[in-house]
Amino acid sequence: MKTKILHTAFLVFFFTANAFAQDSTPSNELYTAHNKGKFFAHWGGNRTYYTTSDLHFEGEGYNFTVENAQSHDLPKGWNIDYVKPGSLTSSQTNWKIGYFIHDKFNVSIGVDHMKYVMTQNQTAMINGTINLPSTEAGSQFNGTYNNQPIDLTDGKFLKFEHTNGLNYVFTEAAYYTDISSIFGITNTDIFQLNFTQGLGMGLLVPRTDATVLQKQRHDEFHISGYGFSADAGLNFTFFKHFYMLTELKGGYINMTDVRTTYTGDHAQHHFWYGGTIVSFGGIFRL
């Protein structure tokens, strides 16, 4: 009986010790094998392109539309302002911070600080009416317009820009796929290549620089509309924690209430956009 008890005790001790030994064995799993629970943040710059849009302006004494207005962005190129405190928004910049809820899925919030400039050197067709008091400078344009051309070059009729920010404040869900093995990369803790895809939606909070019929411009941030976006890109991760992200991003923006003056005048327009983004950031498990 004693022998049986000793034998059983020995077996229990053996298997328990073996289990502890297995638990204490250092894991060879790579840090980059799993993303769940990691936070990430990045910053970068963009180039953006816009479709033409119908710019509709409405206020006391006028109601007209500039048809198929052309526009462009306002890049600064490689510039110290991208990293200079206090000057970050003088360039076209992007920020995002997020969290992986799954190895392949993350959620994030971000700001795309784009710049939108109605091309000044253009002749556009306008429709609508302008009937301002004769004491106002813009009264020189009084009349009824029925698909008539107007030269916008000198800016006296209209200047319209979201250069203090076509600010798209969004939330996004994204899917990451590790494609390192396709290129023969085995140690992803040194270098990892991911393919990313995301869908987002958010609000437009521009600070619009608009001079309509030579009226005083509105110069404050204002929630002006909403947008939807989609992106796809390549994430190059170095030494587990640092990465460069290159993306193609596009979407739809509908600005239903752009403030143009302090008297309640407003504009509205909608358009599609597309562009490229290059960002730099870090990913960590806290």
Side-chain angles (χ1 to χ4, degrees):
M1 183 70 174
K2 247 183 183 180
T3 307
K4 265 188 178 182
I5 293 173
L6 287 172
H7 187 255
T8 302
F10 174 77
L11 288 175
V12 170
F13 174 78
F14 174 79
F15 285 115
T16 303
N18 188 53
F20 275 111
Q22 288 179 352
D23 287 344
S24 62
T25 301
S27 173
N28 292 323
E29 188 172 64
L30 297 173
Y31 180 84
T32 48
H34 298 286
N35 285 322
K36 185 177 180 180
K38 293 178 182 177
F39 289 87
F40 65 92
H42 61 246
W43 155 95
N46 66 79
R47 284 299 312 271
T48 309
Y49 307 90
Y50 310 103
T51 61
T52 59
S53 61
D54 297 337
L55 305 175
H56 181 73
F57 297 88
E58 188 173 351
E60 188 174 350
Y62 65 93
N63 189 330
F64 66 89
T65 301
V66 178
E67 309 286 347
N68 295 314
Q70 299 174 12
S71 59
H72 57 272
D73 67 346
L74 195 65
K76 293 188 73 171
W78 294 104
N79 195 289
I80 194 172
D81 286 346
Y82 280 99
V83 294
K84 184 180 177 182
S87 299
L88 294 178
T89 58
S90 67
S91 305
Q92 298 181 167
T93 49
N94 306 78
W95 302 272
K96 187 187 290 184
I97 183 169
Y99 176 75
F100 276 91
I101 58 175
H102 182 275
D103 282 347
K104 294 182 179 293
F105 291 96
N106 67 61
V107 292
S108 61
I109 56 174
V111 179
D112 288 345
H113 179 77
M114 301 173 283
K115 293 183 184 291
Y116 175 103
V117 181
M118 183 197 75
T119 302
Q120 206 65 59
N121 185 23
Q122 67 175 303
T123 297
M125 312 301 286
I126 67 169
N127 288 284
T129 58
I130 300 172
N131 186 23
L132 298 176
S134 59
T135 53
E136 293 192 21
S139 63
Q140 63 180 296
F141 300 105
N142 282 357
T144 299
Y145 297 85
N146 184 15
N147 209 35
Q148 289 177 245
I150 189 164
D151 187 357
L152 303 175
T153 303
D154 62 9
K156 290 182 179 180
F157 181 78
L158 175 66
K159 176 186 175 185
F160 187 73
E161 304 178 354
H162 304 300
T163 43
N164 286 322
L166 179 63
N167 300 308
Y168 176 45
V169 183
F170 64 91
T171 182
E172 183 179 87
Y175 181 80
Y176 271 49
T177 305
D178 185 348
I179 59 173
S180 304
S181 60
I182 296 175
F183 300 93
I185 301 167
T186 55
N187 189 348
T188 53
D189 277 3
I190 295 177
F191 176 67
Q192 184 182 37
L193 183 59
N194 296 287
F195 177 66
T196 72
Q197 305 165 77
L199 293 173
M201 61 184 297
L203 298 174
L204 275 298
V205 191
R207 187 176 174 186
T208 302
D209 181 0
T211 304
V212 183
L213 301 172
Q214 301 180 53
K215 292 177 175 288
Q216 181 186 9
R217 68 187 179 94
H218 184 274
D219 189 26
E220 294 180 11
F221 292 106
H222 179 67
I223 297 176
S224 299
Y226 60 89
F228 301 97
S229 59
D231 57 67
L234 291 174
N235 174 293
F236 304 86
T237 301
F238 305 91
F239 305 109
K240 302 186 288 186
H241 298 298
F242 307 101
Y243 64 86
M244 179 179 74
L245 178 64
T246 60
E247 295 177 283
L248 295 176
K249 185 170 184 176
Y252 172 75
I253 287 174
N254 189 357
M255 304 183 76
T256 57
D257 184 26
V258 179
R259 293 295 304 275
T260 56
T261 72
Y262 284 97
T263 58
D265 300 6
H266 66 277
Q268 58 186 23
H269 64 140
H270 57 88
F271 52 90
W272 295 87
Y273 75 97
T276 56
I277 302 172
V278 177
S279 303
F280 300 89
I283 178 169
F284 299 89
R285 182 177 283 111
L286 300 182

